Amino acid sequence: VLGVFVAALVAGGLPRPAGSPTPASPSRTSSPPYREGVLGRPDSVSPLTARNRAARDLVALAFSGLVRPGPGESWAPDLAERWTSDADGRTWTFVLRPDATWQDGAPVTSADVAFTVRLLQDPKYTGPAAGSWSEVSVATPDPLTVVFRLATPVAGFLELASQPLVPAHLLKGVPADRLAGDPSILKSIGSGPFRILSWSADQAL
């Protein structure tokens, strides 16, 4: 089944995912829409519950992680502007971009990172990322700094850090087992360059 997604670009100056279209100037209202066809039907627009490829492709347009795929097998900054790790790979420190915001204007902070990770660690969370952060502790020394400490070094930790974040200010207090259908997440307030205005099994705007 071929589903056609029409992605509506949101102005905001956030970095674009690799392979995304170049945004037009906000004043050019006559610009043609960007359309992308994908195989399959999305099962979710939430980074917490997207399981199939169509859903993950859609989520990747609207939600950002600390890092994103770069050329080849490299990783590029996304919400984090830089990061470091210690010699044994057990401690990773990320510094967020000070200009990063959610699509409702709220700033993206280290609290959002910690909230997302602790949500994924919640025993009641049963989504596709369940268990992936089980041996990671997270600390937030200040609003722009996140420190991860790993019980066991993970060679692909930067891939783990590409996990799209969710907004703590909208979802705080919502139990992990309710997030699959909670109206707050269906508002799709992400931090990526595109905003999901509406979606169904066949089309997303």
Side-chain angles (χ1 to χ4, degrees), residues 98-122:
D99 63 339
T101 60
W102 296 100
Q103 291 164 355
D104 61 358
V108 176
T109 71
S110 58
D112 296 303
V113 183
F115 174 80
T116 302
V117 171
R118 288 166 183 159
L119 185 59
L120 298 177
Q121 294 173 333
D122 191 310

Side-chain angles (χ1 to χ4, degrees), residues 62-158:
F63 292 86
S64 300
L66 294 172
V67 300
R68 60 185 176 86
E73 298 182 358
S74 66
W75 293 95
D78 201 346
L79 292 175
E81 63 180 9
R82 63 184 186 276
W83 59 87
T84 59
S85 66
D86 62 359
D88 62 6
R90 290 178 181 270
T91 302
W92 291 76
T93 301
F94 292 79
V95 178
L96 302 181
R97 294 187 0 256
D99 63 339
T101 60
W102 296 100
Q103 291 164 355
D104 61 358
V108 176
T109 71
S110 58
D112 296 303
V113 183
F115 174 80
T116 302
V117 171
R118 288 166 183 159
L119 185 59
L120 298 177
Q121 294 173 333
D122 191 310
K124 294 181 180 179
Y125 171 73
T126 59
S132 56
W133 291 85
S134 60
E135 296 188 344
V136 181
S137 66
V138 56
T140 54
D142 61 60
L144 295 180
T145 306
V146 185
V147 180
F148 297 107
R149 292 184 173 85
L150 286 60
T152 304
V154 177
F157 184 71
L158 285 178

Side-chain angles (χ1 to χ4, degrees), residues 180-202:
D182 188 83
S184 296
I185 199 66
L186 295 181
K187 292 178 181 177
S188 302
I189 301 298
S191 55
F194 293 89
R195 181 170 180 177
I196 301 169
L197 301 180
S198 63
W199 76 287
S200 67
D202 298 313

